Amino acid sequence: MISDRLFVYGTLMRGFDHPMAQLLSRSADLIGQARCRGRLYLVKHYPGLLLSDDPADVVFGELYRLRAPEELLREFDMYEACGEGFVEPTEYVRQMLAVTCEDCSVSQAWTYLYNWPVAHLPRIASGIFSER
């Protein structure tokens, strides 16, 4: 059973006028604001998320319930250029992680983790992409 939850933290969030953000808002139900443990970096005009074990490292985003998870995840894999058919190491990898919702419940959700070196990238210390 494929998970129907997707955690987004960058250009797929509401308020971004991007075709893939529009696809997400049309094809999924917003569960609400959510956060995960990680560090956010500014890659170009978009962010990259790295997981962290430090409780002080928090990234904020939105949690969605995908209505047709298999088809949508295929679309988002293509957009993020990862998965089957893409040359390794891909810039992003899709992985399950624990996200905490506003009501403090914890959910397992797919997200896209940044997979290339970040030594030269500026960190978004707030963990909020819109505050870059």
Side-chain angles (χ1 to χ4, degrees), residues 9-52:
Y9 55 85
T11 55
L12 294 176
M13 291 195 297
R14 289 173 304 169
F16 284 89
D17 187 30
H18 188 286
M20 295 307 279
Q22 292 164 4
L23 173 69
L24 181 60
S25 68
R26 279 196 315 270
S27 312
D29 303 306
L30 177 66
I31 294 170
Q33 302 292 315
R35 62 188 185 274
C36 71
R37 197 171 284 180
R39 292 180 173 199
L40 205 55
Y41 292 88
L42 186 60
V43 181
K44 289 180 185 152
H45 57 281
Y46 55 88
L49 166 65
L50 287 188
L51 296 182
S52 169

Side-chain angles (χ1 to χ4, degrees), residues 4 9 11 18 22 30 35 69-71 81-82 100 103 105 108 124:
D4 64 352
Y9 55 85
T11 55
H18 188 286
Q22 292 164 4
L30 177 66
R35 62 188 185 274
E70 287 187 41
E71 296 91 81
C82 68
T100 305
D103 64 2
S105 66
Q108 291 291 318
I124 303 169

Side-chain angles (χ1 to χ4, degrees), residues 33-86:
Q33 302 292 315
R35 62 188 185 274
C36 71
R37 197 171 284 180
R39 292 180 173 199
L40 205 55
Y41 292 88
L42 186 60
V43 181
K44 289 180 185 152
H45 57 281
Y46 55 88
L49 166 65
L50 287 188
L51 296 182
S52 169
D53 291 328
D54 185 339
D57 292 339
V58 179
V59 171
F60 296 88
E62 296 168 346
L63 183 62
Y64 286 87
R65 182 180 297 107
L66 305 175
R67 295 186 203 126
E70 287 187 41
E71 296 91 81
L72 284 167
L73 288 169
R74 256 198 312 276
E75 290 284 331
F76 292 122
D77 284 356
M78 291 296 291
Y79 170 62
E80 302 290 0
C82 68
E84 258 181 65
F86 290 97

